[in-house]
Amino acid sequence: MTKSSKLPLLSLKDIVMFPGMALPIFVDRKRTINTVELTKANAIRLMIVTQKNCISKQCAAELYNIGCIGVIRQLLRLPDGTMKVMVEGVQRSEIISTRSNNFQCCEVIPFAYEYQTSNPRTIESLFRMVVNRFECYLHLNKRYSEEAELTLRMIGGFDLKEVNKLFDTIAISVVPGLKQKQRMLEAPTIEARLEILAERIEYEMSSLLLEDRLQDRIKHQMEKSQKEYFLHEQLKAIQKELGEPEELSDIDRVVGCIEASKMPEDVKAKAKRELRKLRTMAPSSADSNVIRSYIEVLISLPWKRKSVAQIDINKAEDLLNANHYGLSEVKSRVIEHLVISKRAGKARTPILCFVGPPGVGKTSLGRSIAKAIGRRFVRASLGGVHDEAEIRGHRRTYVGSMPGKILQSLIKVKVCNPLFLLDEVDKVGSDLRGDPASALLEVLDPEQNSFFCDHYIEVEFDLSDVMFIATANSLNIPKPLVDRMEVIKIPGYTEDEKANIAHAYLIKKHLINSGLKEGEVCFSKNAINEMIRYYTREPGVRSLEKEIAKICRKIARKALNLKESTHHVISSNNLKHYLGNPKYSITNSLKQGRIGQVAGLAWSESGGDLLFIEALILSGKGRILRTGSLGKVMKESIEAARSITRSRVCVVNLCAPISESDIHIHAPENAVPKDGPSAGVAVVVSIFSVLTDSIVRSEVAVTGEVTLNGEVLPIGGLTEKLYAAQRGNARTVLIPEDNLKELESMPNRSKLTINVVPIKWIDQALIIMLKTPQKLLKSFGVPTVTPSSYAHQTEY
């Protein structure tokens, strides 16, 4: 009976130890470390076996019985407490029993059939066959190890003592699997071992030959497109390893995105048809890029994604009041929409158009409305847009085609119900490339925008959930487009409103922007009023904001130089120190009346302003001279005024004969173009003033168109003109009687501090504005105003 011995036990995972094999092992478990230290300290051998399952815990039932006795050749202790052990296999052995304590040990005996004798001739034949097949295997396998090649060179003639060594070396090099190696380790005789090894070498050689044949076949059958695809896939793998983005989207991912996008069924069917085309195309073709971009746009569109928010009427009203001063009509309209949406569910989305001069807060008001109603905000500027494709997109046949501004903005905001601000809609132009304003008709028409079709996507997209708000400086918009919107006019601010806005919003904003504390700078009321009157001339507050920012920057610089915080008071006395000399002044003509100079009122996109008309009588032949960059309509108004004057000269005491005099009509500020019919009354008054040598009342301003019969017709821009007259310190304004209804519905009418007198005939304007006895101005069957009735009219 073979004598047994007790040895420490070391188990391995995924590795089978053969005799003659040197193997580095990393040891980290405490019990295994104890086993290695015991073996090294006592200079004894240890038993090395392999676990059947590398995941299960180490126990006797999970260990193979056949293993290899090894010797520790080198031991290295690592800083983290683990060990690196170099072990060399010596002899096959069999485990009889195991025992566990602080370390594992076992009782082993030499392998029972290790030296069993067999037929020498059979072993020699098997030996030579294994050597020959192994040599062929090394030539076929390009990845063989140098150790295997060295072993082949050292093989000489047949020697029974070297058979086991050769078998172990070849088995380590050829056999790939754990179970196959363990099977070779447990082979009972030399003959059985050689047979198993020969069988395994034949199997590996057949696999190599089959792989070579398949590679040759694929290489000869690969066409140009297949080769490009193969190279492209390799490039994708390389880019993935380098962390670069892939050039192509995965087809399966695209299919999943199409299903997840919740697009309508007809759109989904079109996207899948385009995807099938993409599958059949080469990735490098130009059409594949076009189709890929088209599918990505369809996936990116928010077909049914909405932002959901609870409508709180009180909160929305407080938010609008906190962010914007005045604008009661706009706020009331927004609150009405919220109330209807809350009571009726999905209300018809209004299309509002804010019309007003620059700087009154139209764009910021749209942002505040979006916050108040719980919608996302997106803005598209239409200023300078000339191409219809900017709205409706380009067709895919064009190079670089893309969707229009509407769909691009929806893709950016990622919901289908945002608040969409169409800024500067009155600046849209038209040329040979199309008319963008006509393209907006479908967008802004509630009856049509449910089926909006962009030229790029070629399918319908529902815009009915989008709340569109347009802004414009004037109503110089195509009439069909205006008809589809609810126009809300935002007038310019009065001086009081500007002062309130400055104290409530602008000063706090620029103190924060300049890094100043609230107590460091204080603006007095007089300073703000003088800034409004002498440093700005605008209907909005944009220039006022720039002046406040300028003062804050200067104070911040001064505080930085002083390196200490001081208190600065901005008053009317030191305002010039920060802003320099005043840019504007109150017109002198309003302080003292003059002959032939009348204060008219004009309107432009920037708001209302005073427009002075001057007349001068010269000796001549009854001609009219016109200067001041006047437009065609205004020149016609001057001709009509001359005819009215000539028809009444027989009843007016003239200071000079009209047939022997030339009259020069001039509108100051030649660089500013002027046009429109509303200066007709002012021209008539100025001509009568120079003909009768009468002084015009300086505190009275006038606006209105006049007919040849002397009737005063209504004009536009009344609100802006009245605010301009108030800024110019006029006390009384004459307006056409037909504009009286507009005055009664005017917002913030109570803030007007001037008297408004409606007139129907030119005689009324002459009696009020000229300091001439009333007997010099005889009427021709039209009613005139008496001093008592004039006093009554000034109550408006």
Side-chain angles (χ1 to χ4, degrees):
M1 183 175 179
T2 306
K3 185 178 179 181
S4 63
S5 58
K6 294 182 179 179
L7 296 176
L9 177 63
L10 178 64
S11 62
L12 303 179
K13 297 179 180 180
D14 296 329
I15 300 175
V16 176
M17 174 70 78
F18 282 83
M21 178 180 178
L23 182 68
I25 302 172
F26 286 89
V27 179
D28 56 355
R29 290 180 292 189
K30 184 176 180 180
R31 189 165 57 179
T32 308
I33 292 175
N34 294 337
T35 302
V36 172
E37 288 178 344
L38 175 65
T39 304
K40 186 66 177 176
N42 297 302
I44 58 176
R45 300 180 177 184
L46 75 165
M47 183 64 180
I48 303 173
V49 294
T50 305
Q51 285 186 223
K52 297 178 182 179
N53 189 351
C54 62
I55 301 177
S56 61
K57 295 182 179 180
Q58 181 179 350
C59 60
E62 291 295 329
L63 301 177
Y64 287 105
N65 292 331
I66 307 300
C68 184
I69 295 177
V71 179
I72 297 177
R73 299 298 185 188
Q74 187 178 4
L75 187 146
L76 178 64
R77 302 179 187 274
L78 300 178
D80 58 353
T82 61
M83 292 182 179
K84 181 180 179 182
V85 184
M86 181 63 71
V87 182
E88 182 181 359
V90 177
Q91 179 187 358
R92 284 179 175 81
S93 296
E94 182 179 359
I95 298 177
I96 300 176
S97 61
T98 61
R99 186 180 62 187
S100 297
N101 198 357
N102 292 333
F103 60 91
Q104 272 194 323
C105 62
C106 62
E107 186 176 357
V108 300
I109 59 174
F111 192 51
Y113 304 100
E114 178 69 24
Y115 297 103
Q116 181 176 341
T117 57
S118 300
N119 187 351
R121 284 195 174 186
T122 303
I123 295 175
E124 183 177 358
S125 299
L126 287 172
F127 173 82
R128 297 188 184 282
M129 183 181 68
V130 167
V131 171
N132 291 335
R133 305 313 291 168
F134 184 62
E135 184 176 0
C136 295
Y137 172 81
L138 292 180
H139 286 296
L140 288 174
N141 190 0
K142 305 301 181 182
R143 298 183 295 272
Y144 57 83
S145 63
E146 295 181 359
E147 182 181 358
E149 184 179 9
L150 181 62
T151 302
L152 182 63
R153 291 176 182 175
M154 293 176 61
I155 296 174
F158 172 71
D159 186 356
L160 189 60
K161 296 180 181 179
E162 299 294 330
V163 171
N164 282 327
K165 181 178 179 181
L166 175 67
F167 169 83
D168 294 335
T169 304
I170 295 176
I172 295 169
S173 303
V174 176
V175 181
L178 178 68
K179 292 185 179 180
Q180 293 293 336
K181 287 183 178 181
Q182 185 67 30
R183 179 190 172 197
M184 291 190 175
L185 185 68
E186 295 178 358
T189 63
I190 297 176
E191 182 178 349
R193 294 173 187 172
L194 291 176
E195 287 177 354
I196 295 172
L197 186 58
E199 177 186 350
R200 193 65 201 180
I201 293 175
E202 287 291 339
Y203 178 83
E204 293 295 330
M205 287 179 60
S206 62
S207 299
L208 292 174
L209 290 172
L210 179 60
E211 183 179 348
D212 290 341
R213 285 196 300 270
L214 289 174
Q215 288 181 352
D216 292 338
R217 187 184 302 170
I218 293 172
K219 182 177 180 181
H220 288 91
Q221 292 179 351
M222 185 180 297
E223 299 178 357
K224 183 178 179 180
S225 60
Q226 292 173 319
K227 184 178 180 180
E228 290 178 353
Y229 177 77
F230 178 73
L231 293 175
H232 186 76
E233 291 297 321
Q234 284 187 331
L235 180 61
K236 277 206 312 183
I238 293 172
Q239 290 176 339
K240 186 175 181 180
E241 290 295 327
L242 294 175
E244 298 179 357
E246 297 183 5
E247 181 183 352
L248 284 176
S249 299
D250 184 67
I251 298 296
D252 294 333
R253 184 187 63 82
V254 174
V255 174
C257 291
I258 292 175
E259 297 294 337
S261 63
K262 297 181 181 180
M263 59 181 67
E265 293 299 325
D266 57 336
V267 182
K268 187 182 297 184
K270 184 175 180 61
K272 290 183 177 179
R273 286 198 302 269
E274 297 294 330
L275 189 60
R276 285 195 292 269
K277 293 180 185 178
L278 183 62
R279 291 178 184 271
T280 60
M281 292 182 179
S284 59
S285 66
D287 289 342
S288 68
N289 294 327
V290 173
I291 294 176
R292 189 182 311 115
S293 300
Y294 176 75
I295 295 175
E296 289 176 356
V297 169
L298 290 181
I299 293 174
S300 302
L301 281 171
W303 297 96
K304 294 184 180 180
R305 293 193 295 270
K306 296 182 180 181
S307 56
V308 181
Q310 297 293 331
I311 299 177
D312 190 336
I313 305 298
N314 296 328
K315 183 178 179 181
E317 190 171 5
D318 293 341
L319 180 63
L320 290 175
N321 291 330
N323 291 342
H324 294 272
Y325 183 85
L327 306 178
S328 58
E329 183 180 356
V330 182
K331 296 175 183 178
S332 176
R333 182 63 186 86
V334 174
I335 296 301
E336 289 171 2
H337 168 67
L338 293 180
V339 171
I340 294 174
S341 299
K342 188 170 184 178
R343 292 180 63 89
K346 182 180 179 180
R348 183 174 178 177
T349 305
I351 298 174
L352 306 178
C353 181
F354 299 152
V355 179
V360 295
K362 300 185 296 296
T363 303
S364 59
L365 181 62
R367 194 182 301 273
S368 297
I369 292 174
K371 188 176 181 180
I373 65 178
R375 296 195 184 204
R376 296 186 184 179
F377 177 79
V378 61
R379 172 183 172 271
S381 179
L382 300 181
V385 174
H386 292 270
D387 193 353
E388 179 188 353
E390 293 288 334
I391 306 298
R392 299 177 63 92
H394 305 78
R395 296 194 182 276
R396 284 193 289 159
T397 54
Y398 296 102
V399 177
S401 59
M402 62 181 68
K405 285 182 175 290
I406 305 299
L407 294 190
Q408 286 185 35
S409 301
L410 292 181
I411 292 174
K412 180 181 178 180
V413 79
K414 297 180 181 180
V415 291
C416 65
N417 64 335
L419 187 143
F420 202 121
L421 183 69
L422 299 172
D423 213 0
E424 308 292 348
V425 73
D426 59 326
K427 306 296 191 302
V428 175
S430 61
D431 55 15
L432 296 175
R433 291 170 290 182
D435 185 7
S438 300
L440 285 173
L441 294 177
E442 183 182 3
V443 176
L444 299 180
D445 191 345
E447 302 297 333
Q448 299 181 42
N449 61 11
S450 300
F451 311 100
F452 175 72
C453 185
D454 191 281
H455 289 159
Y456 181 81
I457 65 172
E458 299 175 347
V459 292
E460 295 176 352
F461 190 89
D462 187 4
L463 296 177
S464 60
D465 290 325
V466 180
M467 182 176 180
F468 287 100
I469 292 181
T471 67
N473 295 131
S474 67
L475 281 176
N476 188 20
I477 309 171
K479 188 174 180 180
L481 192 58
V482 177
D483 185 57
R484 285 162 171 79
M485 299 185 293
E486 183 177 341
V487 177
I488 299 177
K489 294 185 178 181
I490 302 179
Y493 295 118
T494 63
E495 290 186 1
D496 290 339
E497 289 176 332
K498 290 181 181 180
N500 289 328
I501 292 172
H503 286 290
Y505 305 101
L506 303 183
I507 294 176
K508 294 179 181 179
K509 173 183 175 181
H510 288 285
L511 285 177
I512 296 174
N513 293 343
S514 302
L516 298 172
K517 298 179 181 179
E518 189 172 353
E520 291 187 61
V521 184
C522 178
F523 288 81
S524 67
K525 292 184 179 180
N526 291 334
I528 294 296
N529 291 334
E530 290 198 13
M531 289 171 61
I532 295 170
R533 181 168 296 183
Y534 298 111
Y535 290 89
T536 65
R537 182 170 290 179
E538 57 172 350
V541 292
R542 194 165 290 163
S543 297
L544 177 61
E545 185 175 1
K546 293 177 182 178
E547 300 300 329
I548 293 175
K550 183 177 180 180
I551 294 175
C552 291
R553 289 195 302 268
K554 290 181 178 295
I555 293 176
R557 180 179 178 182
K558 185 183 296 186
L560 182 64
N561 294 334
L562 296 175
K563 296 182 180 180
E564 60 181 5
S565 177
T566 57
H567 182 68
H568 298 270
V569 178
I570 309 301
S571 63
S572 57
N573 297 327
N574 61 1
L575 189 62
K576 187 176 179 180
H577 171 72
Y578 292 100
L579 299 181
N581 294 323
K583 300 177 182 178
Y584 307 100
S585 62
I586 300 301
T587 311
N588 294 329
S589 60
L590 290 179
K591 299 179 180 179
Q592 182 179 1
R594 295 179 181 177
I595 296 175
Q597 188 177 48
V598 180
L601 296 173
W603 177 90
S604 67
E605 293 181 359
S606 299
D609 201 357
L610 288 174
L611 174 64
F612 290 95
I613 303 296
E614 297 178 342
L616 185 65
I617 189 169
L618 305 169
S619 60
K621 299 180 180 180
R623 294 174 300 178
I624 286 285
L625 304 178
R626 300 164 300 198
T627 57
S629 187
L630 306 180
K632 181 179 179 180
V633 178
M634 194 166 181
K635 290 178 180 179
E636 293 178 351
S637 294
I638 294 175
E639 292 295 331
R642 181 174 67 166
S643 299
I644 295 172
T645 305
R646 292 182 63 182
S647 67
R648 303 195 178 197
V649 294
C650 59
V651 293
V652 177
N653 293 331
L654 302 180
C655 60
I658 191 170
S659 60
E660 299 177 3
S661 304
D662 292 341
I663 299 177
H664 187 172
I665 304 296
H666 177 66
E669 299 183 8
N670 291 359
V672 180
K674 309 166 190 71
D675 200 6
S678 61
V681 176
V683 173
V684 173
V685 174
S686 66
I687 294 175
F688 266 92
S689 173
V690 296
L691 289 178
T692 60
D693 200 21
S694 301
I695 297 176
V696 181
R697 298 182 186 275
S698 61
E699 73 277 7
V700 182
V702 65
T703 182
E705 181 181 357
V706 66
T707 67
L708 292 177
N709 294 325
E711 185 178 1
V712 180
L713 300 181
I715 45 84
L718 177 65
T719 303
E720 289 80 3
K721 291 179 179 180
L722 292 178
Y723 285 137
Q726 182 168 300
R727 288 196 300 268
N729 286 343
R731 297 179 184 176
T732 303
V733 177
L734 307 185
I735 67 170
E737 189 176 88
D738 292 339
N739 285 111
L740 190 60
K741 56 183 179 297
E742 184 179 349
L743 177 67
E744 294 173 351
S745 60
M746 173 182 168
N748 301 326
R749 183 161 60 98
S750 60
K751 295 184 180 296
L752 287 177
T753 59
I754 57 177
N755 297 321
V756 180
V757 179
I759 59 175
K760 182 66 175 177
W761 303 97
I762 187 63
D763 304 81
Q764 297 171 295
L766 295 173
I767 292 174
I768 295 174
M769 300 192 69
L770 297 180
K771 295 182 179 180
T772 305
Q774 190 170 354
K775 62 182 181 180
L776 297 179
L777 302 173
K778 297 180 180 180
S779 176
F780 292 87
V782 296
T784 60
V785 292
T786 62
S788 58
S789 62
Y790 168 66
H792 174 73
Q793 297 291 352
T794 56
E795 295 178 0
Y796 283 97

